[in-house]
Amino acid sequence: MNDFSLGSKDEEGQGGDLRVALLGNRATTYTQMKRFDLARDDCLATLSIPNHPWRLEALEKLARCYIALGDPRAALQHIATAQEVAPLDHYILEVELSARAMLSDLRQSRESWAKKEWLTAKQALARAIAKCTGDCPMQWCIWKVEMELSTRSWDDAVSTAESAAKLYPTSAHLLALLGLTRMLSNNLALCLEPLQVAVDLDPGHSFASRTLSRAKRIERSKAEGDKAFESGSYTDAVRSYTETLDIIGSDDQEGGGGHLRAGLLANRAAALLEIERPSEALADIVVSLELQATSSKALRIRARICMAQGSYEEAVEIYIQARKAWSPRECDVAERGMIIQELLDAEAALEMSRRKDFQETSKAPWGDPETDLVQAIWWPIIPSEQ
């Protein structure tokens, strides 16, 4: 709604030129306030008044408003009308170039998306958004969130979805996307609320309904796996975690399942390790770390697998990575304490392994002073002591 009003043409009698001037001035003010929707409405009102001398200026201003609002096709339609009057006008040509550039970026983004060239699609959309000086159109917000998910930019996906949901709070699709991004970011506790709001806003919205149902199934199945693991029923835990992973899936458009899938793979790897299936555990943890390379939890499990396989030096290196990657957002302080203790155990196992290898190679007796000196020179420094 306009913040102030102008009298109608009938009220002003023959003051049509005055009304045109006031509408033009108000449109300029709205433009400076970045209220391009209101500026557009005033430009359209101006053009509805016949036979006034500022028609070309109003068309140019209207085209700029449409570009700012992310509608280059509408801008080009009004530019074409302006060019019928002044085909070589410098300002009109300038606006036309801007509109065509935005349209080209959008076309490239959608074509790249169709080819699953996620990064190219994301970059092209970013260029279009940079040209849009008003609020980002809702559809563009949806595309941007989807592209952040596809390129596995989890922090950007969540922040973009949250900003878009604030800008368009009644959009069931954006709220459902916010719930999906939180879910794939392994934040099940916060994903259900926006999904439920989306379904309440639009009960017939299939994407919101499907995602809500899926999130609830994942939460339930994961809880069953966690309960089985904590009780020592590791085979049951593997079965529940496998069911959960099947629900999550590995769709490229969802970043391969994201941090949620990474966490469940790490959980299943830990359960597999407990029932002495280290090869299967290793396969899970490799994929988990591909999805979330800085997870201290997954790194710790990877190091435990190395210990089970007798790869003590590699275990020490990975425990050190896990200690550096530890974050209170992912694991509690007790988990960090276990990483440090297991690192010390791994270093002790590595030292014992090296002593054994040296003794077998040199045939020297244990505790010999000369042998101890040679050992000190021959052994490489353990990474954590550097």
Side-chain angles (χ1 to χ4, degrees):
M1 181 181 291
N2 293 358
D3 298 324
F4 56 95
S5 60
L6 298 171
S8 67
K9 186 175 179 181
D10 291 340
E11 290 171 344
E12 294 172 9
Q14 299 301 315
D17 287 349
L18 175 61
R19 178 173 172 77
V20 167
L22 290 173
L23 283 168
N25 290 341
R26 188 168 68 177
T28 299
T29 302
Y30 282 143
T31 299
Q32 293 169 349
M33 296 166 60
K34 296 191 179 299
R35 295 300 307 274
F36 297 105
D37 54 337
L38 299 180
R40 174 202 58 200
D41 293 344
D42 275 356
C43 290
L44 289 169
T46 300
L47 292 170
S48 70
I49 300 174
N51 303 321
H52 65 79
W54 298 296
R55 184 173 182 80
L56 186 64
E57 180 182 341
L59 285 167
E60 177 206 336
K61 193 177 295 182
L62 179 59
R64 291 186 186 278
C65 287
Y66 275 119
I67 292 173
L69 293 168
D71 192 348
R73 293 185 184 278
L76 287 170
Q77 288 176 359
H78 292 286
I79 288 167
T81 303
Q83 287 175 332
E84 292 175 1
V85 178
L88 299 178
D89 184 88
H90 169 75
Y91 295 107
I92 296 297
L93 291 173
E94 180 184 87
V95 180
E96 181 185 16
L97 287 175
S98 297
R100 293 195 183 281
M102 178 181 282
L103 195 61
S104 175
D105 289 333
L106 290 173
R107 187 178 294 114
Q108 182 184 11
S109 178
R110 300 318 295 163
E111 289 174 354
S112 298
W113 175 263
K115 297 175 184 176
K116 297 188 177 182
E117 297 172 353
W118 314 123
L119 185 58
T120 303
K122 177 180 171 180
Q123 291 170 342
L125 181 61
R127 291 195 298 272
I129 290 174
K131 297 179 178 72
C132 177
T133 51
D135 290 337
C136 184
M138 184 170 67
Q139 185 58 57
W140 294 19
C141 292
I142 291 171
W143 290 342
K144 186 169 177 9
V145 175
E146 291 173 343
M147 289 174 191
E148 298 293 4
L149 290 176
S150 298
T151 54
R152 305 186 182 188
S153 305
W154 301 108
D155 290 342
D156 290 340
V158 172
S159 63
T160 300
E162 289 177 347
S163 298
K166 289 178 182 178
L167 186 60
Y168 300 103
T170 60
S171 169
H173 198 97
L174 277 172
L175 286 165
L177 273 178
L178 174 58
L180 178 65
T181 57
R182 287 177 175 175
M183 183 181 81
L184 294 172
S185 299
N186 205 10
N187 197 340
L188 289 171
L190 294 179
C191 80
L192 294 175
E193 181 183 355
L195 289 170
Q196 188 62 61
V197 173
V199 171
D200 291 342
L201 280 170
D202 186 356
H205 198 287
S206 58
F207 171 63
S209 299
R210 287 197 314 271
T211 308
L212 176 60
S213 174
R214 183 178 168 208
K216 288 180 177 178
R217 288 165 58 210
I218 289 170
E219 185 180 47
R220 183 168 56 251
S221 181
K222 180 180 180 296
E224 291 172 359
D226 292 344
K227 183 178 179 181
F229 188 95
E230 290 167 4
S231 66
S233 302
Y234 301 115
T235 301
D236 291 340
V238 169
R239 182 166 52 252
S240 292
Y241 289 144
T242 300
E243 291 173 359
T244 310
L245 286 163
D246 289 341
I247 301 169
I248 296 168
S250 57
D251 191 339
D252 285 341
Q253 292 189 21
E254 293 185 349
H259 292 178
L260 178 63
R261 181 164 173 252
L264 265 294
L265 284 166
N267 288 355
R268 188 170 69 177
L272 287 166
L273 195 57
E274 293 291 344
I275 55 178
E276 300 182 356
R277 292 160 63 180
S279 297
E280 295 172 68
L282 178 60
D284 273 357
I285 211 66
V286 166
V287 178
S288 176
L289 288 169
E290 287 175 357
L291 291 167
Q292 190 178 9
T294 59
S295 168
S296 61
K297 176 183 175 181
L299 286 166
R300 179 191 171 208
I301 295 168
R302 177 73 178 89
R304 288 177 59 203
I305 294 170
C306 289
M307 291 292 290
Q309 295 175 332
S311 302
Y312 303 122
E313 187 168 353
E314 185 179 2
V316 169
E317 293 173 354
I318 296 173
Y319 272 126
I320 291 169
Q321 293 175 35
R323 185 182 63 187
K324 291 178 180 178
W326 177 84
S327 166
R329 292 195 305 173
E330 182 187 10
C331 303
D332 57 22
V333 176
E335 177 83 10
R336 185 172 186 271
M338 287 187 283
I339 291 172
I340 293 171
Q341 183 57 56
E342 289 174 17
L343 170 59
L344 295 173
D345 294 342
E347 288 174 336
L350 176 60
E351 181 179 0
M352 183 61 67
S353 174
R354 285 175 172 170
R355 281 181 178 274
K356 183 179 179 181
D357 291 344
F358 183 82
Q359 292 295 333
E360 291 176 354
T361 302
S362 65
K363 306 298 183 183
W366 287 91
D368 181 73
E370 184 176 347
T371 301
D372 290 343
L373 177 61
V374 173
Q375 288 173 335
I377 296 171
W378 183 71
W379 289 343
I381 298 174
I382 296 174
S384 66
E385 296 176 343
Q386 292 180 345

